[in-house]
Amino acid sequence: MGDRGGSSALPAIGAVFCDVGGPIYDDENFVAAVLRAADELRAADGLGAVDRARFRAIYDDVREAQGGVSLRASIAREFLGSESRKRELHDLTRDYWAHPVGTMYDDVLPFFEALAGRVRIGILANQEESVIRSLERDGLAPYIDVWGVSAVVGYEKPSPELFEWALAAADVAPSRAVHIGNRLDTDVRPAAALGLSTVWVLRGEAPSSPTAEQLAEPDIAVSTLDGLAERIFTELPVAR
Ligand SMILES: [Mg+2]
């Protein structure tokens, strides 16, 4: 702050894009779908349910790594006998993935309310089309200008195409946009590579205890969305 005032100020943020799992809905919705799918595939093989403690250990490893380790590949290898079954697990997980009533974080609506009318607001997420109906049901849809839902748009994070599609839809340059997400590999890094500012939300698939190196990657790291709107308008974009 301070050196950014007056006529030398960087251009103001014009678009805010937000991931869904983690920032908006609890990632446990995805975990529940993966577990239900894995249990069902094991039952078809005459095996018992996935060991929950072992699952949590694998999930925590994936969360800590923030890249390079695929949850579904690890689950397929550990519980389905072969990593080659990850596609099967993926397809069944999609069938069971939903965002039930009560799983949106309480800080989401106040955050979007604080952004409303000040910037273009977009969803930018690897999600099924049904997430749109969940967001309509939970009252967030009226705030959304840009629906960057991977299953609808046809691109997935971390591919730059989904970010570029959202920027074009919002008609805002990357330097005036911020992406909010809870993963370094699919949110912070690909957004930063395109020149967007980044916010890392430390919940769900984010590590419980991020390292100093990890915390240095985003422009802002937060554990809730409380107060984030004002930080976006006063701290971003940062000169690089
Ligand atoms: Mg997420």
Side-chain angles (χ1 to χ4, degrees):
M1 303 258 288
D3 61 344
R4 226 157 320 111
S7 58
S8 65
L10 290 161
I13 286 292
V16 174
F17 301 119
C18 195
D19 176 32
V20 166
I24 294 177
Y25 286 111
D26 194 331
D27 272 334
E28 287 300 309
N29 294 340
F30 179 73
V31 168
V34 173
L35 281 169
R36 183 176 172 190
D39 282 348
E40 192 169 298
L41 293 170
R42 281 175 62 85
D45 292 340
L47 299 170
V50 165
D51 181 286
R52 265 40 182 180
R54 180 67 191 130
F55 171 87
R56 285 292 163 184
I58 293 169
Y59 186 58
D60 288 348
D61 286 347
V62 172
R63 292 169 60 227
E64 277 177 34
Q66 290 295 295
V69 187
S70 154
L71 177 66
R72 278 174 290 216
S74 300
I75 298 305
R77 184 176 59 245
E78 181 86 10
F79 299 112
L80 303 177
S82 167
E83 198 171 307
S84 66
R85 299 188 70 188
K86 71 179 178 184
R87 169 55 58 180
E88 204 182 342
L89 178 65
H90 177 76
D91 290 343
L92 195 56
T93 298
R94 289 177 58 166
D95 290 347
Y96 294 144
W97 192 13
H99 298 294
V101 171
T103 60
M104 175 183 276
Y105 286 100
D106 291 340
D107 54 16
V108 175
L109 282 169
F111 172 64
F112 279 74
E113 179 64 34
L115 295 177
R118 304 170 76 178
V119 288
R120 304 278 286 167
I121 301 175
I123 293 296
L124 207 169
N126 292 350
Q127 291 280 325
E128 299 303 309
E129 187 173 3
S130 62
V131 76
I132 296 170
R133 286 183 290 282
S134 301
L135 292 169
E136 287 169 348
R137 178 200 64 206
D138 290 334
L140 206 67
Y143 298 105
I144 309 302
D145 303 301
V146 173
W147 289 92
V149 174
S150 61
V152 177
V153 175
Y155 303 119
E156 284 200 346
K157 297 182 296 184
S159 150
E161 279 90 350
L162 188 60
F163 294 90
E164 288 164 349
W165 181 93
L167 288 163
D171 193 23
V172 168
S175 59
R176 296 188 54 231
V178 56
H179 177 64
I180 302 166
N182 69 328
R183 282 173 57 156
L184 294 178
D185 57 348
T186 56
D187 293 302
V188 170
R189 289 171 193 146
L194 289 172
L196 287 82
S197 296
T198 56
V199 175
W200 192 23
V201 180
L202 299 168
R203 52 192 184 195
E205 290 178 353
S208 302
S209 303
T211 66
E213 288 83 359
Q214 290 174 329
L215 288 169
E217 291 195 50
D219 296 311
I220 296 174
V222 293
S223 54
T224 83
L225 305 184
D226 295 334
L228 179 59
E230 286 316 307
R231 291 193 64 185
I232 284 172
F233 291 120
T234 56
E235 297 179 27
L236 301 177
V238 292
R240 291 189 180 81

